[in-house]
Amino acid sequence: MSIKIALAGNPNCGKTTLFNALTGSNQFVGNWPGVTVEKKEGKLKGHSDAIIVDLPGIYSLSPYTLEEVVARNFLITERPDAILNIIDGTNLERNLYLTTQLVELGIPVIAAVNMMDVVAKNGDKVNTANLAKELGCKVVEISALKGTGVTEAADKAVAVANARRRMIPQHSFEGCVEHTLAHIEEAVLHEMPEEQQRWYAIKIFERDEKVMAQLNIPADIQKHIEQDIKACEDEMDDDAESIITNERYVYIGTIIKDCCVKKNKGGMTTS
Ligand code: BGO
């Protein structure tokens, strides 16, 4: 049986360059079902049983752009065996916003920090050991353009796909958010495989209409959950979606402080 690895990342992070390096001429181009967004798949070089699916470049798994909807529908319905998340190492802060959401899906993730040739040229460093610890996934430094680290990243993606080990997200939200997420999981998601529950719970907390419609939650349960979400919003004096976004950025701020070493800032920095 073949394994499927999704290639996910922000626009301009080097995804096409990496996809070409990983697949060579073994590519098939089509469209995602029902939309005119291009879908590219290819056989992974050196792993005849592995298919790489190139997802549209996205900044988030929210439901607001066609690309985000296409990418997340693939991830939650097809559930690839692994996600190879390509991150622009010169723009870690912005790129990690997507990564924090990918690791919540319960699909094994390998983070490939790209553009390391540029990072090195600038005299900067990324502490990949810390990054791996804080994200809860393996991290590989690569340069898709120069070809460095690319084979290692692919091999690691194949290994986690074959191991089928579940991802354990390292990040916890504020107490009242976690409390509400636990309620949502118990009330709506308990029949779903455990590793899939967290991403859905966060989306329900955010009142993501596409997810709510997909799950077809009975009205009485929806009302009960809404009371919990509202109580949390009152406690945090913010709306649910902003609470999640803000907390992601706080988490990313901590990661940047622990993982980015900028030459021009004299050591660890938050920028
Ligand atoms: C141009 N290192 C460096 N230095 N550049 C990289 C790397 C890397 O590891 N990986 C990718 N790039 P895409 P998306 C370009 O096209 O793969 C470069 O959107 C140019 N083009 O070569 O397209 C890559 O698929 C003229 O750069 O990204 C490309 O994710 C001048 O990053 C760009 C300079 O890569 C985006 C660069 C006409």
Side-chain angles (χ1 to χ4, degrees):
M1 209 178 74
S2 68
I3 54 169
K4 219 166 235 193
I5 297 169
L7 189 56
N10 285 189
N12 254 332
C13 67
K15 208 158 54 57
T16 308
T17 311
L18 179 60
F19 180 77
N20 290 339
L22 291 174
T23 60
S25 54
N26 259 317
Q27 301 184 4
F28 339 102
V29 183
N31 275 344
W32 291 92
V35 291
T36 53
V37 179
E38 187 181 84
K39 180 180 187 184
K40 278 194 299 188
E41 290 188 352
K43 274 194 187 160
L44 178 58
K45 276 199 258 176
H47 296 270
S48 56
D49 58 338
I51 303 278
I52 302 271
V53 182
D54 186 27
L55 300 183
I58 48 170
Y59 295 107
S60 165
L61 295 180
S62 60
Y64 300 126
T65 69
L66 189 56
E67 286 76 13
E68 286 168 351
V69 173
V70 164
R72 75 180 211 168
N73 279 352
F74 177 79
L75 292 169
I76 61 177
T77 58
E78 302 265 330
R79 296 199 71 81
D81 302 293
I83 300 170
L84 182 52
N85 173 211
I86 172 163
I87 294 171
D88 177 353
T90 66
N91 218 328
L92 264 188
E93 187 163 14
R94 192 177 63 191
N95 281 245
L96 285 174
Y97 190 68
L98 175 65
T99 309
T100 62
Q101 298 172 63
L102 294 174
V103 296
E104 286 161 354
L105 286 161
I107 299 168
V109 174
I110 293 289
V113 183
N114 191 32
M115 313 266 181
M116 285 309 295
D117 55 310
V118 182
V119 173
K121 204 166 148 202
N122 293 341
D124 300 334
K125 286 193 180 118
V126 177
N127 185 329
T128 48
N130 281 359
L131 188 57
K133 204 159 107 201
E134 298 195 23
L135 290 172
C137 69
K138 291 209 164 76
V139 176
V140 186
E141 294 185 12
I142 70 165
S143 167
L145 190 69
K146 312 249 177 215
T148 53
V150 167
T151 308
E152 190 195 344
D155 289 348
K156 285 206 156 67
V158 170
V160 292
N162 282 325
R164 297 186 190 279
R165 210 173 303 124
R166 65 170 286 211
M167 277 289 301
I168 308 205
Q170 300 297 298
H171 173 240
S172 299
F173 293 97
E174 274 294 312
C176 84
V177 180
E178 286 296 335
H179 186 75
T180 310
L181 295 177
H183 270 188
I184 294 171
E185 288 180 11
E186 195 183 307
V188 189
L189 305 168
H190 55 274
E191 283 177 7
M192 192 178 267
E194 205 185 328
E195 72 275 11
Q196 300 186 26
Q197 293 180 10
R198 187 166 178 84
W199 185 83
Y200 275 99
I202 295 165
K203 289 292 146 203
I204 293 171
F205 182 85
E206 292 178 311
R207 301 189 183 89
D208 183 303
E209 284 179 10
K210 288 202 161 59
V211 163
M212 304 289 267
Q214 181 201 338
L215 294 173
N216 203 10
I217 305 166
D220 57 329
I221 295 181
Q222 207 162 320
K223 198 171 150 200
H224 175 76
I225 292 170
E226 184 54 36
Q227 283 170 352
D228 273 355
I229 299 172
K230 190 81 192 47
C232 190
E233 289 180 321
D234 288 344
E235 188 178 326
M236 308 225 12
D237 196 22
D238 208 346
D239 67 277
E241 216 180 329
S242 305
I243 292 171
I244 297 290
T245 303
N246 291 339
E247 288 210 30
R248 283 197 199 287
Y249 277 115
V250 172
Y251 171 43
I252 291 166
T254 314
I255 298 179
I256 296 293
K257 192 154 71 60
D258 294 344
C259 303
C260 275
V261 188
K262 292 252 182 200
K263 184 189 172 198
N264 294 333
K265 297 281 170 67
M268 305 288 196
T269 173
T270 52
S271 65

